[in-house]
Amino acid sequence: MAEIVEFRVEQGVQFFDEVVKNGIFDDEEVKQIIKKRKQFEYKLQRRQKNKLMYLKYIAYEHSLFKLIRRRRERLRFFGSYQEIDYTVSKKIKWLYKKVIARYPNDVDLWFSYIKFCKDVNLSEEVGEVYSRMLQLHSSNDSVWIAAAKWHFEENNSPDVARELLLRALRHVPESKSLWTEYFRMELMYISLVEKRMSVLEGSDGKAKKQRVSSSTSETDDKVLEGKIAMAVVDNAVKNRPSDVELLLSFVKVLDDFDSHLRLRMKNHICNILTNNFKDREETYDALARLYFDKAWLKKNVESEHLSNVEKKKLRNDKMKEIFEEGISVIKTEKMWSFYIKFHLQLLSETNDCEILNHILSLMERAWNDNLLSFNLFNEWMLLLNEKEENSKVLVDLIQKATQKWSSNATVWYTCLSVLTGKDSSFRLELKKLFERAIKRLENIEESEEESEADSYTVTSKTVFDVWNLYLDWASTTLSSAELLRSIEKSYLSNSATGNNLRRNREIAAFLKTKLIEKCMQYSDKGISRARFFYEKYKDVHPVNQSFFEKMLQLENEESTVHRSRVRKVFDDFVEHFGSLDHQVWLNYIEFELKNQKADKVSNLYFSACKNLTAEECEKFMVAYSLLRIENVDSD
């Protein structure tokens, strides 16, 4: 082992001589480098080696390489690259090869090696690494894409990039990203050829044009005509005949390019959509969005002599026409959602009253057809509320919606929050609606809860959000005594029985904490009421940490803090949670340190060590040591 380590260190003798001779490092620094390398080399000689050992060695050599570069710039010395820089980079390459040989399935290691090769301008090495990597990871589409991208953008080899992507599609034909990147690369190649031709045609007319003609190959002619790019689209449709999302991704790629072929290719994709996917909701959404492209609008709609406002109206009417056709052909909730979300996007960009009225009309039509999603219903409620719609109309809609989506907390929350902002004439109806919502949501199974990811909706809510909304409303509407009775009754109901034991236990724990929190609404005897309920329910299940934490907060917020009462709560807290959570003991100790009770601190320390589990005890001792250091410093 020692002989191998010495041999590898001695391989750098020439490197050490050069860096000392040229003033990059002094003798002491060289000794430190040798010492560090020996430590790493000895670790690599162990039988049990891990990836981290190699990565730390690579990181050290990489930092050494960067330091050499900085010292060169400072000294303005730019010689002996072969003996200095190349030696370190060769060492790093050797380390990468060793660790990759041991862990060939780690793609991140390969990419890290490639990044290093790029940093030191080893282009040939990058190509070789990608070739070896593709042999092992031929089913990983991200590797094929990265290799093709490097050949196209950095190695100036578009033909190699095209060949790689064609091979990739044979290995991973089901990959959407491969088809998309292949299409993008063909468009980039079109842009490249067009730029080259514009440069060649720039100066001398005829002579230049002849040169352009002779330099443009038959392949380039096909490229400039868009035949290859359109062939990619056609082959993608053949391989994935039911994947409309892939076609839509091609349209998004086209929007990033300003080529004369963009409209032609969009028209080609549009024809495929209308012929092959007439029964898909995404088709109508995509066809409508094409009119955001000014060139497409100009080509398909006569608008040359119109003002900007008239053009925008004409564009919006054309989009409406497409969506109206869609909802007449495909009568689904998804189709209506596309139609409404599209106009919500328009509204966010323009804030036009006409668009707002159209959205409200669409939502009403979808609601009447029973095809409005609950997320869009939430949005409808908020829009109606902003528009100050008739309250009776809102109440009627809310009654129907909460019957339809009775297990959806988000719908309940939206409807109730809208009504709480109305006048007090709805107080009785609102109280009954709150009771109905809470009763329903407390008893549903988790599998019944409805959820849907949506860009145009309020944040997803839970039964706890509905409870908080109720408590906020009740705090300003009901008397304190009535509010506390309501909370206590619900707490006892959930702690005793329930269809969903875990859900009811969570709600009971939540209400138990809220019970003492809301006691503080009593202006003169709030803390007394809180203490009464604390003593009454501190040992009643479910016993939860937030209950004790809230009581400690209330005691500490008093104008005159009663230390004995705080200690009593802490004693109860550690009795229930002293074996599970080291932070409880730390908070108790911190309280006593502030009150300069050293004897109590030592007693608490030993009690904590005795009661905590082994893992929590270790955490406690570390945190306690840091706490003591902080207190010494402050003294």
mmCIF file with all atom_site columns, all heavy atoms in Angstrom, residues 11 31 40 43 111 128 140 170 240 257 320 331 419 421 470 488 498 573 576 581 584 624:
data_model
loop_
_atom_site.group_PDB
_atom_site.id
_atom_site.type_symbol
_atom_site.label_atom_id
_atom_site.label_alt_id
_atom_site.label_comp_id
_atom_site.label_asym_id
_atom_site.label_entity_id
_atom_site.label_seq_id
_atom_site.pdbx_PDB_ins_code
_atom_site.Cartn_x
_atom_site.Cartn_y
_atom_site.Cartn_z
_atom_site.occupancy
_atom_site.B_iso_or_equiv
_atom_site.pdbx_formal_charge
_atom_site.auth_seq_id
_atom_site.auth_comp_id
_atom_site.auth_asym_id
_atom_site.auth_atom_id
_atom_site.pdbx_PDB_model_num
ATOM 1   N N   . GLN A 1 11  ? 5.120   10.741 -8.854  1.00 0.00 ? 11  GLN A N   1
ATOM 2   C CA  . GLN A 1 11  ? 4.810   11.079 -10.240 1.00 0.00 ? 11  GLN A CA  1
ATOM 3   C C   . GLN A 1 11  ? 4.652   12.589 -10.450 1.00 0.00 ? 11  GLN A C   1
ATOM 4   O O   . GLN A 1 11  ? 4.749   13.074 -11.568 1.00 0.00 ? 11  GLN A O   1
ATOM 5   C CB  . GLN A 1 11  ? 3.511   10.372 -10.681 1.00 0.00 ? 11  GLN A CB  1
ATOM 6   C CG  . GLN A 1 11  ? 3.709   8.892  -10.970 1.00 0.00 ? 11  GLN A CG  1
ATOM 7   C CD  . GLN A 1 11  ? 2.413   8.232  -11.427 1.00 0.00 ? 11  GLN A CD  1
ATOM 8   O OE1 . GLN A 1 11  ? 1.347   8.483  -10.865 1.00 0.00 ? 11  GLN A OE1 1
ATOM 9   N NE2 . GLN A 1 11  ? 2.499   7.383  -12.445 1.00 0.00 ? 11  GLN A NE2 1
ATOM 10  N N   . LYS A 1 31  ? 4.744   21.190 0.485   1.00 0.00 ? 31  LYS A N   1
ATOM 11  C CA  . LYS A 1 31  ? 4.674   20.154 1.530   1.00 0.00 ? 31  LYS A CA  1
ATOM 12  C C   . LYS A 1 31  ? 3.223   19.856 1.908   1.00 0.00 ? 31  LYS A C   1
ATOM 13  O O   . LYS A 1 31  ? 2.842   18.691 2.112   1.00 0.00 ? 31  LYS A O   1
ATOM 14  C CB  . LYS A 1 31  ? 5.446   20.608 2.767   1.00 0.00 ? 31  LYS A CB  1
ATOM 15  C CG  . LYS A 1 31  ? 6.954   20.551 2.602   1.00 0.00 ? 31  LYS A CG  1
ATOM 16  C CD  . LYS A 1 31  ? 7.639   21.034 3.882   1.00 0.00 ? 31  LYS A CD  1
ATOM 17  C CE  . LYS A 1 31  ? 9.169   21.046 3.693   1.00 0.00 ? 31  LYS A CE  1
ATOM 18  N NZ  . LYS A 1 31  ? 9.852   21.569 4.898   1.00 0.00 ? 31  LYS A NZ  1
ATOM 19  N N   . PHE A 1 40  ? -5.280  11.415 0.740   1.00 0.00 ? 40  PHE A N   1
ATOM 20  C CA  . PHE A 1 40  ? -6.291  10.932 -0.200  1.00 0.00 ? 40  PHE A CA  1
ATOM 21  C C   . PHE A 1 40  ? -5.886  9.593  -0.811  1.00 0.00 ? 40  PHE A C   1
ATOM 22  O O   . PHE A 1 40  ? -6.732  8.684  -0.967  1.00 0.00 ? 40  PHE A O   1
ATOM 23  C CB  . PHE A 1 40  ? -6.528  11.962 -1.316  1.00 0.00 ? 40  PHE A CB  1
ATOM 24  C CG  . PHE A 1 40  ? -7.361  13.143 -0.893  1.00 0.00 ? 40  PHE A CG  1
ATOM 25  C CD1 . PHE A 1 40  ? -6.856  14.437 -0.960  1.00 0.00 ? 40  PHE A CD1 1
ATOM 26  C CD2 . PHE A 1 40  ? -8.659  12.963 -0.444  1.00 0.00 ? 40  PHE A CD2 1
ATOM 27  C CE1 . PHE A 1 40  ? -7.623  15.528 -0.586  1.00 0.00 ? 40  PHE A CE1 1
ATOM 28  C CE2 . PHE A 1 40  ? -9.445  14.046 -0.069  1.00 0.00 ? 40  PHE A CE2 1
ATOM 29  C CZ  . PHE A 1 40  ? -8.915  15.326 -0.133  1.00 0.00 ? 40  PHE A CZ  1
ATOM 30  N N   . LYS A 1 43  ? -6.477  6.692  1.461   1.00 0.00 ? 43  LYS A N   1
ATOM 31  C CA  . LYS A 1 43  ? -7.906  6.353  1.525   1.00 0.00 ? 43  LYS A CA  1
ATOM 32  C C   . LYS A 1 43  ? -8.324  5.511  0.318   1.00 0.00 ? 43  LYS A C   1
ATOM 33  O O   . LYS A 1 43  ? -9.134  4.591  0.445   1.00 0.00 ? 43  LYS A O   1
ATOM 34  C CB  . LYS A 1 43  ? -8.747  7.623  1.589   1.00 0.00 ? 43  LYS A CB  1
ATOM 35  C CG  . LYS A 1 43  ? -8.701  8.310  2.942   1.00 0.00 ? 43  LYS A CG  1
ATOM 36  C CD  . LYS A 1 43  ? -9.572  9.566  2.957   1.00 0.00 ? 43  LYS A CD  1
ATOM 37  C CE  . LYS A 1 43  ? -9.491  10.243 4.317   1.00 0.00 ? 43  LYS A CE  1
ATOM 38  N NZ  . LYS A 1 43  ? -10.308 11.487 4.335   1.00 0.00 ? 43  LYS A NZ  1
ATOM 39  N N   . PHE A 1 111 ? -21.672 13.443 -16.102 1.00 0.00 ? 111 PHE A N   1
ATOM 40  C CA  . PHE A 1 111 ? -21.872 14.848 -16.473 1.00 0.00 ? 111 PHE A CA  1
ATOM 41  C C   . PHE A 1 111 ? -20.867 15.758 -15.762 1.00 0.00 ? 111 PHE A C   1
ATOM 42  O O   . PHE A 1 111 ? -20.452 16.781 -16.308 1.00 0.00 ? 111 PHE A O   1
ATOM 43  C CB  . PHE A 1 111 ? -23.302 15.285 -16.171 1.00 0.00 ? 111 PHE A CB  1
ATOM 44  C CG  . PHE A 1 111 ? -24.302 14.863 -17.218 1.00 0.00 ? 111 PHE A CG  1
ATOM 45  C CD1 . PHE A 1 111 ? -25.415 14.119 -16.876 1.00 0.00 ? 111 PHE A CD1 1
ATOM 46  C CD2 . PHE A 1 111 ? -24.121 15.219 -18.542 1.00 0.00 ? 111 PHE A CD2 1
ATOM 47  C CE1 . PHE A 1 111 ? -26.331 13.728 -17.843 1.00 0.00 ? 111 PHE A CE1 1
ATOM 48  C CE2 . PHE A 1 111 ? -25.024 14.826 -19.516 1.00 0.00 ? 111 PHE A CE2 1
ATOM 49  C CZ  . PHE A 1 111 ? -26.128 14.081 -19.168 1.00 0.00 ? 111 PHE A CZ  1
ATOM 50  N N   . GLU A 1 128 ? -15.448 11.702 -26.588 1.00 0.00 ? 128 GLU A N   1
ATOM 51  C CA  . GLU A 1 128 ? -15.184 10.307 -26.204 1.00 0.00 ? 128 GLU A CA  1
ATOM 52  C C   . GLU A 1 128 ? -16.006 9.903  -24.980 1.00 0.00 ? 128 GLU A C   1
ATOM 53  O O   . GLU A 1 128 ? -16.530 8.791  -24.914 1.00 0.00 ? 128 GLU A O   1
ATOM 54  C CB  . GLU A 1 128 ? -13.691 10.128 -25.905 1.00 0.00 ? 128 GLU A CB  1
ATOM 55  C CG  . GLU A 1 128 ? -12.805 10.192 -27.150 1.00 0.00 ? 128 GLU A CG  1
ATOM 56  C CD  . GLU A 1 128 ? -11.331 10.092 -26.798 1.00 0.00 ? 128 GLU A CD  1
ATOM 57  O OE1 . GLU A 1 128 ? -11.021 9.731  -25.634 1.00 0.00 ? 128 GLU A OE1 1
ATOM 58  O OE2 . GLU A 1 128 ? -10.494 10.391 -27.668 1.00 0.00 ? 128 GLU A OE2 1
ATOM 59  N N   . ASN A 1 140 ? -31.471 6.279  -21.681 1.00 0.00 ? 140 ASN A N   1
ATOM 60  C CA  . ASN A 1 140 ? -31.681 7.564  -20.994 1.00 0.00 ? 140 ASN A CA  1
ATOM 61  C C   . ASN A 1 140 ? -31.739 8.679  -22.036 1.00 0.00 ? 140 ASN A C   1
ATOM 62  O O   . ASN A 1 140 ? -30.718 9.068  -22.608 1.00 0.00 ? 140 ASN A O   1
ATOM 63  C CB  . ASN A 1 140 ? -30.539 7.802  -19.996 1.00 0.00 ? 140 ASN A CB  1
ATOM 64  C CG  . ASN A 1 140 ? -30.804 8.984  -19.092 1.00 0.00 ? 140 ASN A CG  1
ATOM 65  O OD1 . ASN A 1 140 ? -31.455 9.954  -19.481 1.00 0.00 ? 140 ASN A OD1 1
ATOM 66  N ND2 . ASN A 1 140 ? -30.290 8.910  -17.876 1.00 0.00 ? 140 ASN A ND2 1
ATOM 67  N N   . ARG A 1 170 ? -34.319 5.410  -32.174 1.00 0.00 ? 170 ARG A N   1
ATOM 68  C CA  . ARG A 1 170 ? -34.403 3.955  -32.351 1.00 0.00 ? 170 ARG A CA  1
ATOM 69  C C   . ARG A 1 170 ? -34.308 3.243  -30.997 1.00 0.00 ? 170 ARG A C   1
ATOM 70  O O   . ARG A 1 170 ? -34.919 2.190  -30.804 1.00 0.00 ? 170 ARG A O   1
ATOM 71  C CB  . ARG A 1 170 ? -33.290 3.469  -33.285 1.00 0.00 ? 170 ARG A CB  1
ATOM 72  C CG  . ARG A 1 170 ? -33.524 3.835  -34.747 1.00 0.00 ? 170 ARG A CG  1
ATOM 73  C CD  . ARG A 1 170 ? -32.624 3.041  -35.675 1.00 0.00 ? 170 ARG A CD  1
ATOM 74  N NE  . ARG A 1 170 ? -31.220 3.408  -35.541 1.00 0.00 ? 170 ARG A NE  1
ATOM 75  C CZ  . ARG A 1 170 ? -30.630 4.387  -36.225 1.00 0.00 ? 170 ARG A CZ  1
ATOM 76  N NH1 . ARG A 1 170 ? -31.341 5.117  -37.094 1.00 0.00 ? 170 ARG A NH1 1
ATOM 77  N NH2 . ARG A 1 170 ? -29.349 4.658  -36.076 1.00 0.00 ? 170 ARG A NH2 1
ATOM 78  N N   . ARG A 1 240 ? -46.387 8.005  -32.512 1.00 0.00 ? 240 ARG A N   1
ATOM 79  C CA  . ARG A 1 240 ? -47.261 8.277  -31.363 1.00 0.00 ? 240 ARG A CA  1
ATOM 80  C C   . ARG A 1 240 ? -48.590 8.829  -31.888 1.00 0.00 ? 240 ARG A C   1
ATOM 81  O O   . ARG A 1 240 ? -48.873 10.033 -31.776 1.00 0.00 ? 240 ARG A O   1
ATOM 82  C CB  . ARG A 1 240 ? -46.599 9.257  -30.403 1.00 0.00 ? 240 ARG A CB  1
ATOM 83  C CG  . ARG A 1 240 ? -45.233 8.782  -29.902 1.00 0.00 ? 240 ARG A CG  1
ATOM 84  C CD  . ARG A 1 240 ? -44.627 9.783  -28.938 1.00 0.00 ? 240 ARG A CD  1
ATOM 85  N NE  . ARG A 1 240 ? -45.378 9.886  -27.712 1.00 0.00 ? 240 ARG A NE  1
ATOM 86  C CZ  . ARG A 1 240 ? -45.202 9.104  -26.648 1.00 0.00 ? 240 ARG A CZ  1
ATOM 87  N NH1 . ARG A 1 240 ? -44.270 8.167  -26.667 1.00 0.00 ? 240 ARG A NH1 1
ATOM 88  N NH2 . ARG A 1 240 ? -45.936 9.269  -25.560 1.00 0.00 ? 240 ARG A NH2 1
ATOM 89  N N   . PHE A 1 257 ? -38.894 30.611 -32.788 1.00 0.00 ? 257 PHE A N   1
ATOM 90  C CA  . PHE A 1 257 ? -38.087 30.845 -33.989 1.00 0.00 ? 257 PHE A CA  1
ATOM 91  C C   . PHE A 1 257 ? -38.795 31.834 -34.912 1.00 0.00 ? 257 PHE A C   1
ATOM 92  O O   . PHE A 1 257 ? -40.011 31.783 -35.091 1.00 0.00 ? 257 PHE A O   1
ATOM 93  C CB  . PHE A 1 257 ? -37.831 29.533 -34.734 1.00 0.00 ? 257 PHE A CB  1
ATOM 94  C CG  . PHE A 1 257 ? -36.904 28.600 -34.006 1.00 0.00 ? 257 PHE A CG  1
ATOM 95  C CD1 . PHE A 1 257 ? -37.399 27.691 -33.076 1.00 0.00 ? 257 PHE A CD1 1
ATOM 96  C CD2 . PHE A 1 257 ? -35.539 28.653 -34.216 1.00 0.00 ? 257 PHE A CD2 1
ATOM 97  C CE1 . PHE A 1 257 ? -36.560 26.851 -32.383 1.00 0.00 ? 257 PHE A CE1 1
ATOM 98  C CE2 . PHE A 1 257 ? -34.685 27.808 -33.527 1.00 0.00 ? 257 PHE A CE2 1
ATOM 99  C CZ  . PHE A 1 257 ? -35.194 26.907 -32.610 1.00 0.00 ? 257 PHE A CZ  1
ATOM 100 N N   . LYS A 1 320 ? -63.077 33.037 -30.163 1.00 0.00 ? 320 LYS A N   1
ATOM 101 C CA  . LYS A 1 320 ? -64.383 32.615 -29.631 1.00 0.00 ? 320 LYS A CA  1
ATOM 102 C C   . LYS A 1 320 ? -65.062 31.646 -30.584 1.00 0.00 ? 320 LYS A C   1
ATOM 103 O O   . LYS A 1 320 ? -65.646 30.645 -30.167 1.00 0.00 ? 320 LYS A O   1
ATOM 104 C CB  . LYS A 1 320 ? -65.288 33.846 -29.447 1.00 0.00 ? 320 LYS A CB  1
ATOM 105 C CG  . LYS A 1 320 ? -65.092 34.606 -28.167 1.00 0.00 ? 320 LYS A CG  1
ATOM 106 C CD  . LYS A 1 320 ? -66.156 35.679 -28.077 1.00 0.00 ? 320 LYS A CD  1
ATOM 107 C CE  . LYS A 1 320 ? -65.611 36.895 -27.331 1.00 0.00 ? 320 LYS A CE  1
ATOM 108 N NZ  . LYS A 1 320 ? -66.558 38.015 -27.361 1.00 0.00 ? 320 LYS A NZ  1
ATOM 109 N N   . LYS A 1 331 ? -68.869 18.056 -25.798 1.00 0.00 ? 331 LYS A N   1
ATOM 110 C CA  . LYS A 1 331 ? -69.623 18.583 -24.645 1.00 0.00 ? 331 LYS A CA  1
ATOM 111 C C   . LYS A 1 331 ? -69.084 17.946 -23.368 1.00 0.00 ? 331 LYS A C   1
ATOM 112 O O   . LYS A 1 331 ? -69.681 17.050 -22.787 1.00 0.00 ? 331 LYS A O   1
ATOM 113 C CB  . LYS A 1 331 ? -71.111 18.302 -24.818 1.00 0.00 ? 331 LYS A CB  1
ATOM 114 C CG  . LYS A 1 331 ? -71.743 19.014 -26.007 1.00 0.00 ? 331 LYS A CG  1
ATOM 115 C CD  . LYS A 1 331 ? -73.210 18.657 -26.147 1.00 0.00 ? 331 LYS A CD  1
ATOM 116 C CE  . LYS A 1 331 ? -73.886 19.484 -27.230 1.00 0.00 ? 331 LYS A CE  1
ATOM 117 N NZ  . LYS A 1 331 ? -73.345 19.266 -28.574 1.00 0.00 ? 331 LYS A NZ  1
ATOM 118 N N   . LEU A 1 419 ? -69.629 34.860 1.607   1.00 0.00 ? 419 LEU A N   1
ATOM 119 C CA  . LEU A 1 419 ? -70.791 35.260 2.405   1.00 0.00 ? 419 LEU A CA  1
ATOM 120 C C   . LEU A 1 419 ? -70.408 36.040 3.655   1.00 0.00 ? 419 LEU A C   1
ATOM 121 O O   . LEU A 1 419 ? -71.167 36.914 4.104   1.00 0.00 ? 419 LEU A O   1
ATOM 122 C CB  . LEU A 1 419 ? -71.605 34.021 2.802   1.00 0.00 ? 419 LEU A CB  1
ATOM 123 C CG  . LEU A 1 419 ? -72.426 33.371 1.683   1.00 0.00 ? 419 LEU A CG  1
ATOM 124 C CD1 . LEU A 1 419 ? -73.199 32.174 2.223   1.00 0.00 ? 419 LEU A CD1 1
ATOM 125 C CD2 . LEU A 1 419 ? -73.393 34.362 1.051   1.00 0.00 ? 419 LEU A CD2 1
ATOM 126 N N   . GLY A 1 421 ? -68.315 38.258 3.877   1.00 0.00 ? 421 GLY A N   1
ATOM 127 C CA  . GLY A 1 421 ? -68.102 39.652 3.507   1.00 0.00 ? 421 GLY A CA  1
ATOM 128 C C   . GLY A 1 421 ? -69.376 40.409 3.229   1.00 0.00 ? 421 GLY A C   1
ATOM 129 O O   . GLY A 1 421 ? -69.345 41.621 2.976   1.00 0.00 ? 421 GLY A O   1
ATOM 130 N N   . TYR A 1 470 ? -64.513 30.070 10.319  1.00 0.00 ? 470 TYR A N   1
ATOM 131 C CA  . TYR A 1 470 ? -65.671 30.127 11.214  1.00 0.00 ? 470 TYR A CA  1
ATOM 132 C C   . TYR A 1 470 ? -65.322 30.861 12.512  1.00 0.00 ? 470 TYR A C   1
ATOM 133 O O   . TYR A 1 470 ? -66.106 31.716 12.985  1.00 0.00 ? 470 TYR A O   1
ATOM 134 C CB  . TYR A 1 470 ? -66.163 28.721 11.532  1.00 0.00 ? 470 TYR A CB  1
ATOM 135 C CG  . TYR A 1 470 ? -67.176 28.684 12.654  1.00 0.00 ? 470 TYR A CG  1
ATOM 136 C CD1 . TYR A 1 470 ? -68.464 29.196 12.476  1.00 0.00 ? 470 TYR A CD1 1
ATOM 137 C CD2 . TYR A 1 470 ? -66.846 28.163 13.909  1.00 0.00 ? 470 TYR A CD2 1
ATOM 138 C CE1 . TYR A 1 470 ? -69.393 29.192 13.521  1.00 0.00 ? 470 TYR A CE1 1
ATOM 139 C CE2 . TYR A 1 470 ? -67.759 28.154 14.946  1.00 0.00 ? 470 TYR A CE2 1
ATOM 140 C CZ  . TYR A 1 470 ? -69.031 28.671 14.748  1.00 0.00 ? 470 TYR A CZ  1
ATOM 141 O OH  . TYR A 1 470 ? -69.941 28.684 15.771  1.00 0.00 ? 470 TYR A OH  1
ATOM 142 N N   . GLU A 1 488 ? -65.972 24.102 22.607  1.00 0.00 ? 488 GLU A N   1
ATOM 143 C CA  . GLU A 1 488 ? -65.860 23.010 23.574  1.00 0.00 ? 488 GLU A CA  1
ATOM 144 C C   . GLU A 1 488 ? -66.727 21.819 23.161  1.00 0.00 ? 488 GLU A C   1
ATOM 145 O O   . GLU A 1 488 ? -66.300 20.662 23.233  1.00 0.00 ? 488 GLU A O   1
ATOM 146 C CB  . GLU A 1 488 ? -66.263 23.506 24.960  1.00 0.00 ? 488 GLU A CB  1
ATOM 147 C CG  . GLU A 1 488 ? -66.044 22.469 26.058  1.00 0.00 ? 488 GLU A CG  1
ATOM 148 C CD  . GLU A 1 488 ? -66.384 22.996 27.430  1.00 0.00 ? 488 GLU A CD  1
ATOM 149 O OE1 . GLU A 1 488 ? -67.106 24.019 27.528  1.00 0.00 ? 488 GLU A OE1 1
ATOM 150 O OE2 . GLU A 1 488 ? -65.947 22.377 28.421  1.00 0.00 ? 488 GLU A OE2 1
ATOM 151 N N   . GLY A 1 498 ? -66.333 9.407  16.111  1.00 0.00 ? 498 GLY A N   1
ATOM 152 C CA  . GLY A 1 498 ? -66.065 9.885  14.750  1.00 0.00 ? 498 GLY A CA  1
ATOM 153 C C   . GLY A 1 498 ? -65.896 8.724  13.790  1.00 0.00 ? 498 GLY A C   1
ATOM 154 O O   . GLY A 1 498 ? -65.436 7.645  14.171  1.00 0.00 ? 498 GLY A O   1
ATOM 155 N N   . PHE A 1 573 ? -45.908 19.740 30.613  1.00 0.00 ? 573 PHE A N   1
ATOM 156 C CA  . PHE A 1 573 ? -45.413 19.533 29.252  1.00 0.00 ? 573 PHE A CA  1
ATOM 157 C C   . PHE A 1 573 ? -44.391 18.391 29.226  1.00 0.00 ? 573 PHE A C   1
ATOM 158 O O   . PHE A 1 573 ? -44.481 17.459 28.410  1.00 0.00 ? 573 PHE A O   1
ATOM 159 C CB  . PHE A 1 573 ? -44.795 20.838 28.747  1.00 0.00 ? 573 PHE A CB  1
ATOM 160 C CG  . PHE A 1 573 ? -44.728 20.972 27.249  1.00 0.00 ? 573 PHE A CG  1
ATOM 161 C CD1 . PHE A 1 573 ? -44.372 22.188 26.673  1.00 0.00 ? 573 PHE A CD1 1
ATOM 162 C CD2 . PHE A 1 573 ? -45.007 19.909 26.400  1.00 0.00 ? 573 PHE A CD2 1
ATOM 163 C CE1 . PHE A 1 573 ? -44.310 22.335 25.292  1.00 0.00 ? 573 PHE A CE1 1
ATOM 164 C CE2 . PHE A 1 573 ? -44.954 20.048 25.013  1.00 0.00 ? 573 PHE A CE2 1
ATOM 165 C CZ  . PHE A 1 573 ? -44.598 21.268 24.462  1.00 0.00 ? 573 PHE A CZ  1
ATOM 166 N N   . HIS A 1 576 ? -45.715 14.795 29.753  1.00 0.00 ? 576 HIS A N   1
ATOM 167 C CA  . HIS A 1 576 ? -46.338 14.136 28.601  1.00 0.00 ? 576 HIS A CA  1
ATOM 168 C C   . HIS A 1 576 ? -45.374 13.928 27.436  1.00 0.00 ? 576 HIS A C   1
ATOM 169 O O   . HIS A 1 576 ? -45.493 12.945 26.706  1.00 0.00 ? 576 HIS A O   1
ATOM 170 C CB  . HIS A 1 576 ? -47.535 14.959 28.128  1.00 0.00 ? 576 HIS A CB  1
ATOM 171 C CG  . HIS A 1 576 ? -48.718 14.900 29.041  1.00 0.00 ? 576 HIS A CG  1
ATOM 172 N ND1 . HIS A 1 576 ? -49.510 13.781 29.166  1.00 0.00 ? 576 HIS A ND1 1
ATOM 173 C CD2 . HIS A 1 576 ? -49.243 15.833 29.895  1.00 0.00 ? 576 HIS A CD2 1
ATOM 174 C CE1 . HIS A 1 576 ? -50.472 14.006 30.053  1.00 0.00 ? 576 HIS A CE1 1
ATOM 175 N NE2 . HIS A 1 576 ? -50.337 15.249 30.501  1.00 0.00 ? 576 HIS A NE2 1
ATOM 176 N N   . ASP A 1 581 ? -39.249 14.620 22.968  1.00 0.00 ? 581 ASP A N   1
ATOM 177 C CA  . ASP A 1 581 ? -38.820 15.866 22.318  1.00 0.00 ? 581 ASP A CA  1
ATOM 178 C C   . ASP A 1 581 ? -37.847 16.613 23.217  1.00 0.00 ? 581 ASP A C   1
ATOM 179 O O   . ASP A 1 581 ? -38.237 17.141 24.270  1.00 0.00 ? 581 ASP A O   1
ATOM 180 C CB  . ASP A 1 581 ? -40.041 16.730 22.005  1.00 0.00 ? 581 ASP A CB  1
ATOM 181 C CG  . ASP A 1 581 ? -39.706 17.927 21.145  1.00 0.00 ? 581 ASP A CG  1
ATOM 182 O OD1 . ASP A 1 581 ? -38.508 18.142 20.873  1.00 0.00 ? 581 ASP A OD1 1
ATOM 183 O OD2 . ASP A 1 581 ? -40.626 18.669 20.765  1.00 0.00 ? 581 ASP A OD2 1
ATOM 184 N N   . VAL A 1 584 ? -38.463 20.515 24.335  1.00 0.00 ? 584 VAL A N   1
ATOM 185 C CA  . VAL A 1 584 ? -39.284 20.864 25.504  1.00 0.00 ? 584 VAL A CA  1
ATOM 186 C C   . VAL A 1 584 ? -38.382 21.158 26.704  1.00 0.00 ? 584 VAL A C   1
ATOM 187 O O   . VAL A 1 584 ? -38.538 22.174 27.407  1.00 0.00 ? 584 VAL A O   1
ATOM 188 C CB  . VAL A 1 584 ? -40.261 19.721 25.850  1.00 0.00 ? 584 VAL A CB  1
ATOM 189 C CG1 . VAL A 1 584 ? -41.063 20.062 27.099  1.00 0.00 ? 584 VAL A CG1 1
ATOM 190 C CG2 . VAL A 1 584 ? -41.178 19.436 24.680  1.00 0.00 ? 584 VAL A CG2 1
ATOM 191 N N   . TYR A 1 624 ? -27.747 21.734 24.388  1.00 0.00 ? 624 TYR A N   1
ATOM 192 C CA  . TYR A 1 624 ? -27.528 22.306 25.730  1.00 0.00 ? 624 TYR A CA  1
ATOM 193 C C   . TYR A 1 624 ? -26.140 22.932 25.828  1.00 0.00 ? 624 TYR A C   1
ATOM 194 O O   . TYR A 1 624 ? -25.974 24.021 26.395  1.00 0.00 ? 624 TYR A O   1
ATOM 195 C CB  . TYR A 1 624 ? -27.705 21.219 26.785  1.00 0.00 ? 624 TYR A CB  1
ATOM 196 C CG  . TYR A 1 624 ? -27.418 21.696 28.192  1.00 0.00 ? 624 TYR A CG  1
ATOM 197 C CD1 . TYR A 1 624 ? -28.350 22.463 28.879  1.00 0.00 ? 624 TYR A CD1 1
ATOM 198 C CD2 . TYR A 1 624 ? -26.214 21.379 28.823  1.00 0.00 ? 624 TYR A CD2 1
ATOM 199 C CE1 . TYR A 1 624 ? -28.091 22.910 30.177  1.00 0.00 ? 624 TYR A CE1 1
ATOM 200 C CE2 . TYR A 1 624 ? -25.946 21.819 30.117  1.00 0.00 ? 624 TYR A CE2 1
ATOM 201 C CZ  . TYR A 1 624 ? -26.887 22.588 30.788  1.00 0.00 ? 624 TYR A CZ  1
ATOM 202 O OH  . TYR A 1 624 ? -26.622 23.044 32.056  1.00 0.00 ? 624 TYR A OH  1
#
